[in-house]
């Protein structure tokens, strides 16, 4: 019996997953990932060297809901991919519950995106992937074909709904995610769904706010088509008098991403591109290269690589306004404690914790705006 297998059977009070870490394109390291629910600690065991790769420790930002097949975890700047269950106990306990599902926020509800994300967080869903795209007719019909509208007089209207502006697509995970999302939203975003708060987003049975996958197989197909396929729609930025806002990993984990997006919409700033990113440490070091000597770079890199962030391209309140200065005014001083004293209504005052975990990054120098937007929306894929 191998050392890794023996450990699995000795301690049934933990979950065990097969995982991998790509050191580079030519070298993949196979690992066992052990997770201990009692204290949310984990350890990594290298299957090739038969040695402990990471001693048991507790990492902020990683909890039991983050562990599912296909998950990507950022552990000390390394992206660890969860591939499979490593023992039957883990498979039996988690496979029936832990699921992925898919949701699309339609153009008519685009400015409700923040409120919808907050609602999902409150209902114990985790956003694993997110992007804002524009659909063509072919992609719109991939979604609509699943609700069998062929011959329906409303078909042109339903297609036009999806083509009328940007949509926000999300991969969600959670216990019994497919059925719980349908119960929450309604099978096709029906305003008559159970929660009264749904009435804030949809108008009637045709003008609904969202589309959700109706079963696990459909969810897997949608996630593969819109996130995993090489021909999946890409996030497109305008790069015209825009600037960058990054919602940091800790703010997402604390459930504040939707509130931050909502605050940006309420301020009349325009979000012209949006996507969730999981950055390798090398990417974070490249991004913060221009900030050397200006910010506590090492701690900033650790924060940015500790989990997914959400990149937002921000345009000004009007075509003639300055997005850079307007966003910096809404974000507030870098130090949340100072922000609370002199700018209590800013994002960092409301959602920041300290200089490193200060909720959002905004471009420091106006001449760097285009460079930072390009980095997140063109260079990083």
């Amino acid at each position: 019996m191998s050392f890794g297998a023996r450990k699995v059977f000795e301690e049934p009070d933990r979950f065990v997953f097969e995982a991998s870490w790509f050191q580079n394109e030519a070298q993949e390291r196979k690992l066992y990932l052990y997770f201990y629910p009692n204290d949310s600690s984990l350890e990594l065991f290298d299957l090739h060297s038969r040695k402990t790769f990471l001693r048991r420790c507790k990492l902020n930002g990683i909890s039991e809901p983050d562990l599912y097949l296909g998950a990507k975890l950022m552990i000390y700047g390394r992206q660890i991919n969860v591939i499979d269950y490593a023992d039957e106990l883990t498979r039996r306990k988690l496979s029936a519950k832990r699921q992925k599902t898919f949701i699309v926020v339609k153009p008519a509800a685009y400015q409700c995106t923040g409120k919808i994300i907050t609602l999902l967080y409150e209902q114990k869903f985790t956003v694993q992937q997110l992007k804002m795209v524009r659909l063509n007719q072919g992609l719109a019909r991939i979604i609509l074909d699943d609700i069998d509208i062929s011959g329906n007089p409303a078909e042109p209207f339903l297609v036009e709904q999806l083509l009328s502006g940007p949509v926000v697509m999300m991969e969600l995970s959670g216990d019994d995610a497919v059925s719980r999302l349908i119960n929450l939203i309604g099978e096709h975003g029906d305003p008559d769904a159970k929660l009264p708060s749904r009435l804030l987003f949809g108008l009637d049975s045709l003008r609904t706010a969202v589309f959700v996958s109706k079963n696990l197989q459909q969810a897997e197909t949608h996630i593969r088509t819109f996130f995993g396929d090489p021909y999946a729609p890409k996030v497109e930025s305008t790069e015209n008098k825009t600037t960058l806002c990054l919602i940091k990993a800790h703010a997402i984990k604390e459930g504040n991403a939707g509130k931050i997006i909502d605050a940006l919409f309420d301020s009349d700033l325009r979000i012209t591109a949006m996507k969730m990113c999981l950055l390798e440490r090398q990417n974070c070091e490249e991004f913060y290269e221009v900030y050397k000597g200006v910010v506590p770079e090492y701690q900033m890199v650790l924060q940015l690589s500790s989990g997914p962030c959400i990149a937002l391209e921000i345009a000004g309140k009007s075509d003639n306004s300055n997005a850079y200065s307007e966003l910096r005014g809404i974000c507030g001083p870098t130090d949340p404690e100072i922000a609370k004293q002199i700018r209590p209504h800013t994002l960092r005052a409301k959602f920041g914790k300290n200089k490193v975990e200060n909720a959002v990054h905004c471009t420091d120098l106006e001449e760097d705006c285009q460079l930072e937007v390009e980095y997140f929306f063109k260079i990083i894929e």
Side-chain angles (χ1 to χ4, degrees):
M1 183 180 294
S2 70
F3 176 70
R6 175 168 57 82
K7 290 183 77 177
V8 171
F9 289 109
E10 280 180 356
E11 294 191 47
D13 60 333
R14 62 183 173 187
F15 300 131
V16 192
F17 300 86
E18 293 180 11
S20 67
W21 169 46
F22 286 91
Q23 293 176 267
N24 52 56
E25 291 183 2
Q27 189 173 3
E28 179 186 15
R29 182 169 287 188
K30 296 287 189 180
L31 307 163
Y32 273 151
L33 187 156
Y34 299 95
F35 182 80
Y36 301 83
N38 289 339
D39 62 359
S40 295
S41 63
L42 59 81
E43 64 179 314
L44 296 172
F45 179 77
D46 190 316
L47 293 174
H48 177 71
S49 66
R50 319 303 296 173
K51 294 181 179 179
T52 298
F53 184 66
L54 175 69
R55 294 184 182 278
R56 181 174 173 177
C57 61
K58 185 174 180 179
L59 298 177
N60 290 333
I62 296 181
S63 58
E64 188 177 330
D66 299 312
L67 298 167
Y68 65 95
L69 301 192
K72 294 176 173 60
L73 308 176
M74 198 58 68
I75 300 176
Y76 290 116
R78 298 179 175 90
Q79 182 177 303
I80 306 298
N81 303 317
V82 178
I83 300 171
D84 201 357
Y85 303 112
D87 73 338
E88 285 305 313
L89 178 64
T90 304
R91 185 183 303 277
R92 188 168 62 251
K93 285 192 172 183
L94 296 184
S95 61
K97 292 201 312 175
R98 197 65 47 79
Q99 292 179 344
K100 296 188 288 185
T101 192
F102 177 79
I103 184 171
V104 178
V105 180
K106 297 180 182 180
Y110 172 58
Q111 291 205 320
C112 295
T113 298
K115 291 181 175 65
I116 291 170
I117 291 174
T118 298
L119 175 62
L120 293 170
Y121 176 84
E122 290 170 349
Q123 297 298 315
K124 308 301 181 185
F125 290 96
T126 300
V127 179
Q128 299 294 345
Q129 297 192 79
L130 175 152
K131 63 180 178 181
M132 183 184 105
V133 298
R134 288 182 178 270
L135 300 176
N136 57 33
Q137 283 227 2
L139 292 170
R141 288 185 180 278
I142 288 175
I143 294 174
L144 294 176
D145 283 350
D146 291 316
I147 61 175
D148 191 22
I149 63 166
S150 180
N152 187 324
E155 180 177 358
F157 173 75
L158 295 173
V159 172
E160 181 57 32
Q161 267 193 318
L162 290 174
L163 302 180
S164 62
V167 301
V168 178
M169 298 180 161
M170 289 176 269
E171 174 195 335
L172 307 176
S173 68
D175 291 349
D176 303 311
V178 174
S179 61
R180 284 203 305 116
L181 185 61
I182 291 172
N183 289 336
L184 175 67
I185 300 294
E187 188 166 344
H188 305 300
D190 189 339
D192 293 328
K194 294 180 180 178
L195 281 192
S197 57
R198 275 296 300 119
L199 297 173
L200 295 173
F201 310 135
L203 298 177
D204 54 43
S205 59
L206 285 178
R207 292 173 293 176
T208 58
V210 300
F211 165 86
V212 300
S213 299
K214 64 183 179 183
N215 56 51
L216 186 57
Q217 182 180 6
Q218 191 182 94
E220 291 172 349
T221 298
H222 287 142
I223 291 167
R224 183 171 60 251
T225 301
F226 291 105
F227 287 104
D229 193 295
Y231 299 102
K234 305 293 184 184
V235 180
E236 297 181 0
S237 63
T238 64
E239 297 179 36
N240 182 26
K241 298 180 181 179
T242 59
T243 187
L244 179 75
C245 178
L246 273 184
I247 303 177
K248 294 187 175 182
H250 79 91
I252 295 173
K253 199 70 183 178
E254 292 158 10
N256 291 324
K259 297 172 185 176
I260 291 170
I261 291 170
D262 207 29
L264 291 170
F265 277 128
D266 285 346
S267 71
D268 293 327
L269 285 176
R270 293 171 290 166
I271 299 176
T272 51
M274 182 188 323
K275 73 174 183 179
M276 179 172 276
C277 309
L278 187 61
L279 303 181
E280 295 276 8
R281 182 164 176 169
Q282 179 183 351
N283 297 130
C284 301
E285 290 171 347
E286 287 175 353
F287 178 70
Y288 279 120
E289 180 72 23
V290 297
Y291 293 94
K292 275 190 173 179
V294 180
V295 298
E297 181 199 2
Y298 177 72
Q299 291 90 345
M300 299 289 277
V301 165
L302 286 182
Q303 167 55 211
L304 196 57
S305 64
S306 66
C309 60
I310 296 177
L312 307 167
E313 182 191 42
I314 303 294
K317 298 177 182 180
S318 69
D319 291 339
N320 298 321
S321 62
N322 188 310
Y324 163 78
S325 59
E326 288 175 345
L327 177 63
R328 286 183 64 81
I330 291 164
C331 290
T334 303
D335 188 337
E337 292 304 317
I338 295 175
K340 289 173 185 176
Q341 296 299 318
I342 64 174
R343 302 288 301 281
H345 300 299
T346 58
L347 296 179
R348 287 166 174 160
K350 291 179 179 179
F351 306 113
K353 297 163 67 176
N354 52 56
K355 287 184 179 180
V356 174
E357 295 180 317
N358 60 355
V360 292
H361 162 87
C362 60
T363 308
D364 190 52
L365 299 174
E366 188 168 7
E367 56 264 34
D368 290 335
C369 288
Q370 185 174 350
L371 291 173
E372 293 197 355
V373 169
E374 285 182 350
Y375 189 80
F376 274 88
F377 290 98
K378 285 205 169 179
I379 296 174
I380 294 175
E381 284 292 341

